[in-house]
Amino acid sequence: DFPPFGYLEEGELEPVGFDIDIVREFARRWLGDANAVELVQVSSSDRIPRLVAGEVDLVAASMTHTKARDMEIDFSQTYFLDGQSLLVRRDSGIEGLDDLDGKVVAVTEGSTSLDNIKAEAAARNIRIEIYPLESHADVLTVLNSGVAAILTTDSVALGRYAPPNPEFIVGG
């Protein structure tokens, strides 16, 4: 549920996206068949535990390489670099991190976006209420409903969420 990395197109049953393409290319090169892999849906909070437990052999799920995660799992070379940003209502008046004081921030559990926004808020002495959710789709729903004022995650993903929702803009 995280375009452009891995998601289902409306009405389709097979996932598509950047991470899916990479896994299929690995399978083509290593196994001789791009379809020789079984794709398993994971969430930000369960991808590492499922890998460690042996439930999956490889995770390609837009995961940031961190020192803490290095203690648990092995990483490939980094194959995509991005930053983190905010998705806000166009009329919110929020232009950046300093405008978040007292706001509810929707974020996906188990993501570095959660750690990053907490650290930035603490460093700037800003009070935020974190609204953690299991999936990116849930985070979008909370933002659309008005329960949260801000969604934070990878900039490239937010760039995909904003165009179909003209009431939202990417900023911060």
Side-chain angles (χ1 to χ4, degrees), residues 1 41 43-45 107-109 132-140:
D1 68 347
Q41 184 177 357
S43 68
S44 294
S45 62
V107 65
T108 307
E109 291 178 333
L133 292 145
E134 182 68 23
S135 74
H136 294 97
D138 292 342
V139 172
L140 274 174

Side-chain angles (χ1 to χ4, degrees), residues 34 82 102:
D82 192 14

Side-chain angles (χ1 to χ4, degrees), residues 77-165:
Q77 292 287 81
T78 298
Y79 59 87
F80 189 89
L81 292 173
D82 192 14
Q84 181 175 339
S85 196
L86 308 172
L87 185 67
V88 299
R89 289 195 174 284
R90 188 174 296 282
D91 61 0
S92 70
I94 298 169
E95 295 181 11
L97 294 172
D98 292 326
D99 299 321
L100 299 185
D101 196 38
K103 303 287 193 247
V104 177
V105 180
V107 65
T108 307
E109 291 178 333
S111 68
T112 54
S113 297
L114 175 61
D115 300 333
N116 294 341
I117 196 70
K118 284 181 178 179
E120 271 303 312
R124 294 168 185 257
N125 200 25
I126 296 170
R127 294 175 306 104
I128 59 172
E129 181 182 338
I130 300 293
Y131 199 118
L133 292 145
E134 182 68 23
S135 74
H136 294 97
D138 292 342
V139 172
L140 274 174
T141 299
V142 166
L143 183 66
N144 279 320
S145 72
V147 171
I150 305 103
L151 183 160
T152 186
T153 193
D154 299 344
S155 297
V156 70
L158 294 180
R160 292 287 300 262
Y161 295 151
N165 300 293

Side-chain angles (χ1 to χ4, degrees), residues 48 63-73 75 112 115-116:
I48 292 175
M63 183 166 33
T64 303
H65 188 164
T66 67
K67 288 180 183 180
R69 288 174 174 169
D70 246 347
M71 303 295 283
E72 293 185 80
I73 61 174
F75 279 84
T112 54
D115 300 333
N116 294 341

